[in-house]
Amino acid sequence: MISFENFKLIDGVPIYIQIIKHIKQGIVSGEILDNDEVPSRRALSTLLGINPNTIQKAYKELEDEGLLENRPGAKSFMSINPEDLERIGIALISQDIEAFIQSMKAMNLTIEEVTLLLEKKWRG
Amino acid sequence: MISFENFKLIDGVPIYIQIIKHIKQGIVSGEILDNDEVPSRRALSTLLGINPNTIQKAYKELEDEGLLENRPGAKSFMSINPEDLERIGIALISQDIEAFIQSMKAMNLTIEEVTLLLEKKWRG
Amino acid sequence: MISFENFKLIDGVPIYIQIIKHIKQGIVSGEILDNDEVPSRRALSTLLGINPNTIQKAYKELEDEGLLENRPGAKSFMSINPEDLERIGIALISQDIEAFIQSMKAMNLTIEEVTLLLEKKWRG
Amino acid sequence: MISFENFKLIDGVPIYIQIIKHIKQGIVSGEILDNDEVPSRRALSTLLGINPNTIQKAYKELEDEGLLENRPGAKSFMSINPEDLERIGIALISQDIEAFIQSMKAMNLTIEEVTLLLEKKWRG
DNA sequence: GTGGTCTAGACCACG
DNA sequence: GTGGTCTAGACCACC
């Protein structure tokens, strides 16, 4: 079952977008596998303390992208192809890294300063 | 005059938030100094292809934070104290790094993998 | 439910101000009572033919004044204390009367002429 | 010369509209006559403490309505026909009275209460 | 030309 | 369905 243990809501970004990203990250990390069962809308909404409709919106978008499948019994399951995995991984990582680099460069930090800060905070 | 040359709009994040961040990054990088002139609402809105009101909202928030001075009918100027500079720098950097680390960890990447990717993308 | 039957938009005065005034007048007249339901933003906006956001602005200001309670996802209700009632009544009436008198005096009308015109137009 | 002695700016109504109304009221009251000289933009702007452009906007509108005429020497003069006088008087008075009555009725006041309050405040 | 404000429409999270 | 917020365009007073 997909874990939402380390999931923290960020302010200013739509919640359903954050849920989608979290699930995609689980896919990339290998934590979420093909055919894994997805938490029900109700269960997840009470777990995260947000509205079922918001969960529904996230699931709907994943379904449209072909990553999630509804099956009889009202349960939903992941549907991940190897190509999906690679595509998503590259997209997520490069997106994050590029945004991060742009931000760091905008503040005139050097690669050395950034890696130093990064290593320090990574443990911490 | 404040430069918006390397400014690219990201989808999903409120535009006025991005403008605020860009200006704060300029302050931290030393590119933007106290008393620097701020582009007018109209000039910047046509440059970025967005509505003047969106610029207005960003400037208003910066003014409320004491980093900018608006005077009706006249141009606007930055108003930066040395204390501001440090505070903003720390806030911006730690915020970015923490979000970045959380995202990378969520994908099960190691610090070694991340630094490698980072160094590779930093040039290029 | 609050009525907007006799509400007519005047040109030149901000719409949201007119809405606030209309509601306050209803409070003073006794037509609007504590805990009365307020028309939703959408309902009122279509009824009056104006943008929901304009209604929102009026409601927000009434909320800031403590006369109205908004709850996200739910309906909004009036929240009127007896003290509010008197304060609002006095403010509204004296404001209107003073403006009216200033205008009539500016046209050199006498109190007799004005009361005559007033009584004539009051019926009719 | 037109007097602006009892002129008080009201908040929320465009200044140039208020100037136009004041001048029209002067016409109705008989204080302002045909061929009267109008204060220069600069003089009036310093007298009222507002921007010359705003005066200009009011004068322009009066000119478009045919109530004001520019003549050689950069001075402006009133240009009032008897018909104008009647038309303006009726418009101004009925407009004010109707708005006033509507407001008083909205608060459930009777004609007797209103005339009483009016007479009291008229002296005061 | 400048900034301030009002109106408008779309999208979000929520009950 | 509800209210909250972001973006957009027009108008005002001002330098």
Side-chain angles (χ1 to χ4, degrees), chain B residues 12 16 21 27 48 84 86 98 100 102 110 116 122-123:
Chain B
Y16 81 97
K21 187 172 179 184
I27 293 173
L48 301 181
D84 287 336
E86 193 180 13
E98 275 162 24
F100 181 64
Q102 191 202 331
T110 63
L116 214 69
W122 189 278
R123 323 167 215 286

Side-chain angles (χ1 to χ4, degrees), chain B residues 40-86:
Chain B
S40 86
R41 232 174 40 170
R42 280 168 184 73
L44 190 50
S45 72
T46 55
L47 176 65
L48 301 181
I50 59 181
N51 192 283
N53 220 336
T54 305
I55 314 288
Q56 157 90 3
K57 185 161 190 175
Y59 283 8
K60 178 65 168 51
E61 197 144 309
L62 287 168
E63 189 184 13
D64 288 346
E65 218 177 322
L67 295 173
L68 194 150
E69 273 183 28
N70 288 314
R71 271 180 308 175
K75 304 201 169 185
S76 297
F77 295 88
M78 299 304 301
S79 158
I80 307 169
N81 305 336
E83 320 133 31
D84 287 336
L85 210 152
E86 193 180 13

Side-chain angles (χ1 to χ4, degrees), chain A residues 17-82:
Chain A
I17 297 282
Q18 298 185 51
I19 293 172
I20 293 171
K21 186 173 181 185
H22 181 80
I23 291 179
K24 286 187 174 177
Q25 288 176 333
I27 294 172
V28 174
S29 76
E31 195 188 339
I32 298 176
L33 302 173
D34 190 31
N35 275 318
D36 271 5
E37 186 184 337
V38 166
S40 82
R41 277 90 170 144
R42 247 187 66 200
L44 190 50
S45 77
T46 55
L47 175 65
L48 300 181
I50 60 183
N51 195 284
N53 286 350
T54 306
I55 311 290
Q56 167 62 19
K57 187 162 190 175
Y59 281 10
K60 177 67 166 52
E61 199 143 308
L62 288 168
E63 203 183 332
D64 289 347
E65 215 176 328
L67 294 171
L68 196 150
E69 240 180 46
N70 289 312
R71 297 193 198 153
K75 295 197 172 180
S76 298
F77 296 85
M78 299 306 299
S79 157
I80 308 167
N81 308 333

Side-chain angles (χ1 to χ4, degrees), chain C residues 4 6 8 10-11 30-32 38 52 54 58 66 72 81 94 107 109:
Chain C
F4 273 81
N6 294 322
K8 273 183 197 174
I10 300 171
D11 212 71
E31 197 188 337
I32 297 175
V38 170
T54 306
N81 305 337
S94 64
M107 290 185 283
L109 296 175

Side-chain angles (χ1 to χ4, degrees), chain B residues 9-20:
Chain B
L9 280 174
I10 300 172
D11 212 70
V13 183
I15 298 177
Y16 81 97
I17 297 283
Q18 299 184 51
I19 294 171
I20 292 172

